[in-house]
Amino acid sequence: MAKIFKAFMLLLLLGVLVLLAIIFVPVQKTAPLSTLPATHEDSIALGKYMADASDCMACHTAEGGKPFAGGRPITTDMGVIWTTNITPDKETGIGHYTLDDFRAALYDGLRKDGKHLYPAMPYENYRKLSEEDVRAMYAYFMQEVEPVNNNVQESQLDFPFNQRWGMRVWNWVHLEKAGFTPPANANEQIKRGAYLVQGAGHCAACHSPRTYFMGQKGITEQDASFLTGGELDGWLAPDLRGATSATVQWSVEDMHDYLSTGRNAHSTATGEMVLVIRDSLQYLTKEDNTAIAVYLKSISDKSQESVAKETSPSETQLSLTKASPDMPLGARLYLDNCGGCHFVTGLGAPEIFPKLSGNSLVNAPNPKALIHLILYGAELPSTELRPAKLRMPGFDWRLSNEEVAELATFVRKAWGNDSGKVSPDEVATLRQN
């Protein structure tokens, strides 16, 4: 009993100390990470490029809304977060922000009024942006972006998450020192890729798992969980480091093509990655997207060279070609719904219909992304290099939970794939959401 009482008193004391710190310790804004020469001129062109690289458009533009005017809902387990208006409108946007205010939003998650932003704004990652890039982005938003008067509704989170002051404690626990530290012994290309992945691209915001308190489990390659897979709004962001990941299986050129266009000979983009490519990555230079690919390959597990064993790919192909009436349900569903595009070979058509044999989404340990794709389909973005907008239809209206499970299980077992079975309950959960 005495030990329990002592532990309780220690927790109470800790709580009091934290409360006093929140009340009396002033909120600190991170200072510039470097001092630029007095003759330095902020580049609006660089600011636009870095705004593209930071994917500001995707989150801060509502469907059918004006660029950067906010109002896009982000669904979380705690409630809905509505993205803010970041146009230079002085009434409803950031037109009254100084450079220091702008930097504090990027680095510290602080609004001009001193209230804290929620970590749906990836300031954990933006803290790595250089002073030159921050100033260029500020110049771009203030001088080039069209002001839009759009009063976005307040985020509606459940208690206690609606208490923004609590974010001070969250920041104390989760924020690392501001600034970018390149990987040790890396060449300039890998350093550039690391800067884009860790900072502007904020890849860990989706592709790293989250802690219980929604912090990113891994901000740099030194963290074991960095880019090992996460979940966002019902979609799984795949592992980018494991031996069976696309990062290992694809060449640098394959990865560059995927980042630039949303498609390559192996796969096509789905889920939130469609927005990332549409609004961000397609606008990066070939050199930068290649640098991202090289960096990701440099930190991946190279112990396995091929996902698909393909021990007997002709067996599946022969069975589908024969189309016997007594085929298993999964195979019959594949012929009826998928074979016209992905063919009996499972090879699809490069850059149009993705290959299913060895596909990292198909073979993912968690089948959620595959189930979501079968239920609701996906649409490829139109990019400068690949302007055609292609769409896979959804089959939620046509297939039952049992049928989707059978179809997904078949695909995960065919053409040399060897992944786990999908249950109707897994499908039902996603269909409800």
Side-chain angles (χ1 to χ4, degrees):
M1 181 64 73
K3 289 183 178 180
I4 294 176
F5 178 75
K6 186 180 292 186
F8 172 77
M9 292 304 295
L10 287 173
L11 287 174
L12 180 61
L13 177 60
L14 179 61
V16 170
L17 291 174
V18 170
L19 181 60
L20 290 173
I22 291 173
I23 295 173
F24 293 108
V25 177
V27 176
Q28 300 292 320
K29 294 181 179 180
T30 302
L33 301 179
S34 62
T35 301
L36 299 179
T39 56
H40 176 80
E41 293 185 7
D42 299 322
S43 168
I44 292 176
L46 174 61
K48 182 185 186 310
Y49 186 84
M50 291 310 299
D52 287 340
S54 301
D55 203 17
C56 304
M57 180 74 77
C59 286
H60 289 277
T61 305
E63 290 297 328
K66 293 187 177 181
F68 305 117
R72 186 181 186 89
I74 297 177
T75 304
T76 73
D77 293 338
M78 288 78 71
V80 178
I81 296 174
W82 294 90
T83 61
T84 54
N85 181 346
I86 58 172
T87 72
D89 178 67
K90 291 186 177 181
E91 182 181 346
T92 63
I94 62 171
H96 57 305
Y97 274 47
T98 66
L99 173 59
D100 287 342
D101 295 331
F102 185 78
R103 186 188 302 106
L106 290 178
Y107 283 179
D108 306 309
L110 278 177
R111 303 193 316 200
K112 184 178 177 65
D113 61 7
K115 292 185 178 180
H116 292 273
L117 298 171
Y118 293 112
M121 160 69 168
Y123 57 92
E124 281 184 273
N125 314 96
Y126 290 160
R127 289 171 66 79
K128 295 184 178 296
L129 291 173
S130 70
E131 178 65 9
E132 181 181 7
D133 286 344
V134 169
R135 284 180 49 167
M137 289 173 68
Y138 180 73
Y140 166 66
F141 277 104
M142 294 302 171
Q143 299 177 41
E144 286 291 313
V145 173
E146 176 189 356
V148 179
N149 190 281
N150 183 36
N151 200 7
V152 177
Q153 69 183 87
E154 283 289 323
S155 296
Q156 302 169 350
L157 302 190
D158 301 327
F159 181 84
F161 304 107
N162 60 350
Q163 304 298 305
R164 288 181 182 266
W165 57 266
M167 289 305 303
R168 288 201 68 188
V169 180
W170 191 93
N171 289 345
W172 290 340
V173 172
H174 291 95
L175 293 190
E176 298 181 356
K177 183 179 178 182
F180 170 68
T181 302
N185 303 317
N187 61 33
E188 291 304 313
Q189 186 181 46
I190 290 178
K191 289 178 182 178
R192 177 62 177 174
Y195 177 73
L196 292 169
V197 168
Q198 295 176 21
H202 59 277
C203 303
C206 294
H207 288 276
S208 285
R210 295 274 178 169
T211 67
Y212 181 78
F213 296 102
M214 298 307 292
Q216 296 174 28
K217 278 187 179 178
I219 304 293
T220 75
E221 71 282 339
Q222 296 179 353
D223 303 309
S225 296
F226 179 56
L227 303 182
T228 56
E231 184 173 341
L232 180 68
D233 198 15
W235 281 94
L236 285 175
D239 173 16
L240 299 181
R241 298 183 71 177
T244 60
S245 67
T247 308
V248 173
Q249 306 305 315
W250 299 350
S251 68
V252 169
E253 184 178 358
D254 291 333
M255 293 174 65
H256 167 271
D257 290 347
Y258 182 86
L259 296 173
S260 302
T261 68
R263 60 199 84 178
N264 62 20
H266 306 281
S267 189
T268 55
T270 58
E272 293 296 319
M273 198 63 191
V274 172
L275 300 182
V276 175
I277 291 166
R278 184 193 71 186
D279 297 327
S280 175
L281 293 176
Q282 70 157 313
Y283 299 112
L284 299 192
T285 64
K286 181 176 182 178
E287 290 76 16
D288 274 352
N289 273 328
T290 300
I292 290 173
V294 171
Y295 168 66
L296 290 175
K297 289 192 76 68
S298 76
I299 64 172
S300 61
D301 181 352
K302 304 174 182 63
S303 63
Q304 182 173 321
E305 294 183 356
S306 178
V307 176
K309 298 180 178 64
E310 298 201 26
T311 52
S312 55
S314 60
E315 185 176 328
T316 301
Q317 181 177 340
L318 180 62
S319 174
L320 291 173
T321 303
K322 187 177 180 182
S324 172
D326 61 355
M327 281 194 307
L329 177 60
R332 284 185 278 129
L333 289 168
Y334 178 84
L335 281 179
D336 288 345
N337 300 281
C338 315
C341 294
H342 298 281
F343 312 132
V344 296
T345 61
L347 297 179
E351 299 191 10
I352 301 176
F353 308 125
K355 177 182 176 183
L356 301 180
S357 173
N359 187 294
S360 59
L361 183 149
V362 170
N363 288 281
N366 188 325
K368 181 179 287 188
L370 176 62
I371 297 170
H372 197 290
L373 191 63
I374 294 173
L375 285 174
Y376 304 115
E379 184 174 273
L380 283 176
S382 173
T383 64
E384 183 177 350
L385 295 177
R386 298 291 187 275
K389 183 181 286 188
L390 305 175
R391 176 165 182 81
M392 171 183 163
F395 297 95
D396 64 315
W397 62 276
R398 178 172 177 170
L399 302 179
S400 68
N401 293 339
E402 290 74 17
E403 288 172 328
V404 171
E406 288 291 334
L407 174 57
T409 298
F410 168 76
V411 172
R412 285 164 65 84
K413 296 291 185 183
W415 308 290
N417 295 333
D418 188 21
S419 298
K421 184 177 180 180
V422 177
S423 72
D425 288 343
E426 290 176 293
V427 180
T429 300
L430 273 184
R431 194 190 291 268
Q432 290 171 357
N433 291 338

